[in-house]
mmCIF file of all heavy atoms in Angstrom:
data_model
loop_
_atom_site.group_PDB
_atom_site.id
_atom_site.type_symbol
_atom_site.label_atom_id
_atom_site.label_comp_id
_atom_site.label_asym_id
_atom_site.label_seq_id
_atom_site.Cartn_x
_atom_site.Cartn_y
_atom_site.Cartn_z
ATOM 1 N N GLY A 42 -1.836 3.000 -14.220
ATOM 2 C CA GLY A 42 -0.671 3.041 -13.331
ATOM 3 C C GLY A 42 -1.004 2.907 -11.848
ATOM 4 O O GLY A 42 -0.144 3.144 -11.000
ATOM 5 N N LYS A 43 -2.218 2.511 -11.525
ATOM 6 C CA LYS A 43 -2.622 2.385 -10.114
ATOM 7 C C LYS A 43 -1.807 1.307 -9.398
ATOM 8 O O LYS A 43 -1.203 1.566 -8.360
ATOM 9 C CB LYS A 43 -4.129 2.053 -10.018
ATOM 10 C CG LYS A 43 -5.021 3.084 -10.688
ATOM 11 C CD LYS A 43 -6.486 2.717 -10.588
ATOM 12 C CE LYS A 43 -6.858 1.457 -11.356
ATOM 13 N NZ LYS A 43 -6.684 1.554 -12.828
ATOM 14 N N SER A 44 -1.802 0.113 -9.978
ATOM 15 C CA SER A 44 -1.083 -0.991 -9.315
ATOM 16 C C SER A 44 0.421 -0.730 -9.299
ATOM 17 O O SER A 44 1.102 -1.075 -8.331
ATOM 18 C CB SER A 44 -1.383 -2.319 -10.014
ATOM 19 O OG SER A 44 -2.752 -2.615 -9.925
ATOM 20 N N THR A 45 0.922 -0.107 -10.345
ATOM 21 C CA THR A 45 2.347 0.224 -10.378
ATOM 22 C C THR A 45 2.692 1.198 -9.249
ATOM 23 O O THR A 45 3.707 1.048 -8.560
ATOM 24 C CB THR A 45 2.728 0.827 -11.750
ATOM 25 O OG1 THR A 45 2.370 -0.102 -12.770
ATOM 26 C CG2 THR A 45 4.209 1.120 -11.835
ATOM 27 N N THR A 46 1.841 2.194 -9.053
ATOM 28 C CA THR A 46 2.060 3.137 -7.959
ATOM 29 C C THR A 46 2.035 2.403 -6.623
ATOM 30 O O THR A 46 2.919 2.594 -5.773
ATOM 31 C CB THR A 46 0.951 4.220 -7.958
ATOM 32 O OG1 THR A 46 0.959 4.885 -9.212
ATOM 33 C CG2 THR A 46 1.157 5.230 -6.843
ATOM 34 N N ILE A 47 1.026 1.549 -6.454
ATOM 35 C CA ILE A 47 0.878 0.834 -5.184
ATOM 36 C C ILE A 47 2.057 -0.112 -4.953
ATOM 37 O O ILE A 47 2.605 -0.184 -3.851
ATOM 38 C CB ILE A 47 -0.479 0.082 -5.156
ATOM 39 C CG1 ILE A 47 -1.608 1.102 -4.955
ATOM 40 C CG2 ILE A 47 -0.493 -0.984 -4.065
ATOM 41 C CD1 ILE A 47 -3.005 0.543 -5.076
ATOM 42 N N ARG A 48 2.487 -0.791 -5.999
ATOM 43 C CA ARG A 48 3.613 -1.718 -5.834
ATOM 44 C C ARG A 48 4.915 -0.964 -5.554
ATOM 45 O O ARG A 48 5.805 -1.488 -4.885
ATOM 46 C CB ARG A 48 3.719 -2.633 -7.050
ATOM 47 C CG ARG A 48 2.478 -3.560 -7.119
ATOM 48 C CD ARG A 48 2.392 -4.352 -8.393
ATOM 49 N NE ARG A 48 3.479 -5.299 -8.516
ATOM 50 C CZ ARG A 48 4.165 -5.514 -9.622
ATOM 51 N NH1 ARG A 48 3.884 -4.831 -10.708
ATOM 52 N NH2 ARG A 48 5.132 -6.392 -9.647
ATOM 53 N N THR A 49 4.999 0.250 -6.048
ATOM 54 C CA THR A 49 6.151 1.093 -5.699
ATOM 55 C C THR A 49 6.090 1.467 -4.212
ATOM 56 O O THR A 49 7.096 1.415 -3.499
ATOM 57 C CB THR A 49 6.161 2.374 -6.551
ATOM 58 O OG1 THR A 49 6.087 2.009 -7.923
ATOM 59 C CG2 THR A 49 7.418 3.195 -6.316
ATOM 60 N N LEU A 50 4.884 1.819 -3.755
ATOM 61 C CA LEU A 50 4.723 2.178 -2.343
ATOM 62 C C LEU A 50 5.053 1.014 -1.419
ATOM 63 O O LEU A 50 5.513 1.205 -0.295
ATOM 64 C CB LEU A 50 3.280 2.637 -2.074
ATOM 65 C CG LEU A 50 2.893 4.014 -2.609
ATOM 66 C CD1 LEU A 50 1.412 4.277 -2.378
ATOM 67 C CD2 LEU A 50 3.733 5.094 -1.947
ATOM 68 N N LEU A 51 4.792 -0.201 -1.906
ATOM 69 C CA LEU A 51 5.041 -1.388 -1.082
ATOM 70 C C LEU A 51 6.494 -1.842 -1.155
ATOM 71 O O LEU A 51 6.881 -2.815 -0.510
ATOM 72 C CB LEU A 51 4.130 -2.536 -1.549
ATOM 73 C CG LEU A 51 2.632 -2.327 -1.291
ATOM 74 C CD1 LEU A 51 1.830 -3.344 -2.066
ATOM 75 C CD2 LEU A 51 2.326 -2.413 0.189
ATOM 76 N N GLY A 52 7.300 -1.153 -1.980
ATOM 77 C CA GLY A 52 8.699 -1.544 -2.107
ATOM 78 C C GLY A 52 8.883 -2.809 -2.931
ATOM 79 O O GLY A 52 9.916 -3.459 -2.860
ATOM 80 N N ILE A 53 7.871 -3.165 -3.717
ATOM 81 C CA ILE A 53 7.968 -4.360 -4.579
ATOM 82 C C ILE A 53 8.737 -4.004 -5.841
ATOM 83 O O ILE A 53 9.534 -4.783 -6.344
ATOM 84 C CB ILE A 53 6.561 -4.905 -4.939
ATOM 85 C CG1 ILE A 53 5.816 -5.329 -3.670
ATOM 86 C CG2 ILE A 53 6.657 -6.066 -5.934
ATOM 87 C CD1 ILE A 53 4.354 -5.671 -3.895
ATOM 88 N N ILE A 54 8.500 -2.813 -6.374
ATOM 89 C CA ILE A 54 9.279 -2.341 -7.513
ATOM 90 C C ILE A 54 9.947 -1.020 -7.154
ATOM 91 O O ILE A 54 9.463 -0.269 -6.302
ATOM 92 C CB ILE A 54 8.430 -2.198 -8.803
ATOM 93 C CG1 ILE A 54 7.231 -1.289 -8.584
ATOM 94 C CG2 ILE A 54 7.990 -3.543 -9.329
ATOM 95 C CD1 ILE A 54 6.400 -1.082 -9.845
ATOM 96 N N LYS A 55 11.053 -0.766 -7.824
ATOM 97 C CA LYS A 55 11.846 0.422 -7.497
ATOM 98 C C LYS A 55 11.536 1.546 -8.467
ATOM 99 O O LYS A 55 11.542 1.327 -9.684
ATOM 100 C CB LYS A 55 13.327 0.056 -7.565
ATOM 101 C CG LYS A 55 14.226 1.096 -6.945
ATOM 102 C CD LYS A 55 15.679 0.646 -6.944
ATOM 103 C CE LYS A 55 16.554 1.729 -6.333
ATOM 104 N NZ LYS A 55 17.966 1.374 -6.392
ATOM 105 N N ARG A 56 11.301 2.713 -7.947
ATOM 106 C CA ARG A 56 10.994 3.874 -8.793
ATOM 107 C C ARG A 56 12.253 4.347 -9.518
ATOM 108 O O ARG A 56 13.368 4.085 -9.076
ATOM 109 C CB ARG A 56 10.421 5.000 -7.936
ATOM 110 C CG ARG A 56 11.418 5.559 -6.927
ATOM 111 C CD ARG A 56 10.759 6.560 -6.010
ATOM 112 N NE ARG A 56 11.679 7.139 -5.048
ATOM 113 C CZ ARG A 56 11.875 6.679 -3.816
ATOM 114 N NH1 ARG A 56 11.241 5.599 -3.403
ATOM 115 N NH2 ARG A 56 12.720 7.280 -3.007
ATOM 116 N N ASP A 57 12.046 5.057 -10.626
ATOM 117 C CA ASP A 57 13.177 5.635 -11.356
ATOM 118 C C ASP A 57 13.461 7.058 -10.912
ATOM 119 O O ASP A 57 14.596 7.522 -10.976
ATOM 120 C CB ASP A 57 12.895 5.608 -12.860
ATOM 121 C CG ASP A 57 12.821 4.184 -13.380
ATOM 122 O OD1 ASP A 57 13.692 3.379 -13.007
ATOM 123 O OD2 ASP A 57 11.888 3.869 -14.127
ATOM 124 N N ALA A 58 12.407 7.756 -10.507
ATOM 125 C CA ALA A 58 12.599 9.139 -10.059
ATOM 126 C C ALA A 58 11.447 9.529 -9.152
ATOM 127 O O ALA A 58 10.403 8.879 -9.120
ATOM 128 C CB ALA A 58 12.662 10.087 -11.260
ATOM 129 N N GLY A 59 11.662 10.619 -8.424
ATOM 130 C CA GLY A 59 10.639 11.108 -7.504
ATOM 131 C C GLY A 59 10.874 10.608 -6.092
ATOM 132 O O GLY A 59 11.827 9.867 -5.839
ATOM 133 N N THR A 60 10.012 11.036 -5.170
ATOM 134 C CA THR A 60 10.116 10.563 -3.793
ATOM 135 C C THR A 60 8.816 9.887 -3.387
ATOM 136 O O THR A 60 7.748 10.239 -3.879
ATOM 137 C CB THR A 60 10.394 11.724 -2.806
ATOM 138 O OG1 THR A 60 9.329 12.679 -2.935
ATOM 139 C CG2 THR A 60 11.715 12.399 -3.094
ATOM 140 N N ALA A 61 8.945 8.916 -2.530
ATOM 141 C CA ALA A 61 7.766 8.212 -2.019
ATOM 142 C C ALA A 61 8.035 7.826 -0.578
ATOM 143 O O ALA A 61 8.995 7.109 -0.282
ATOM 144 C CB ALA A 61 7.480 6.977 -2.865
ATOM 145 N N GLU A 62 7.206 8.344 0.324
ATOM 146 C CA GLU A 62 7.396 8.071 1.751
ATOM 147 C C GLU A 62 6.102 7.603 2.394
ATOM 148 O O GLU A 62 5.022 8.080 2.046
ATOM 149 C CB GLU A 62 7.863 9.349 2.474
ATOM 150 C CG GLU A 62 9.260 9.768 2.099
ATOM 151 C CD GLU A 62 9.682 11.066 2.799
ATOM 152 O OE1 GLU A 62 8.826 11.714 3.433
ATOM 153 O OE2 GLU A 62 10.856 11.412 2.698
ATOM 154 N N ILE A 63 6.256 6.676 3.310
ATOM 155 C CA ILE A 63 5.149 6.271 4.174
ATOM 156 C C ILE A 63 5.664 6.413 5.609
ATOM 157 O O ILE A 63 6.787 5.989 5.907
ATOM 158 C CB ILE A 63 4.721 4.815 3.900
ATOM 159 C CG1 ILE A 63 4.168 4.691 2.470
ATOM 160 C CG2 ILE A 63 3.658 4.367 4.899
ATOM 161 C CD1 ILE A 63 3.712 3.278 2.094
#
Side-chain angles (χ1 to χ4, degrees):
K43 302 179 294 296
S44 298
T45 303
T46 302
I47 286 173
R48 294 171 65 223
T49 307
L50 287 175
L51 292 167
I53 298 171
I54 56 178
K55 193 176 179 184
R56 65 186 181 266
D57 294 315
T60 58
E62 291 178 351
I63 296 180

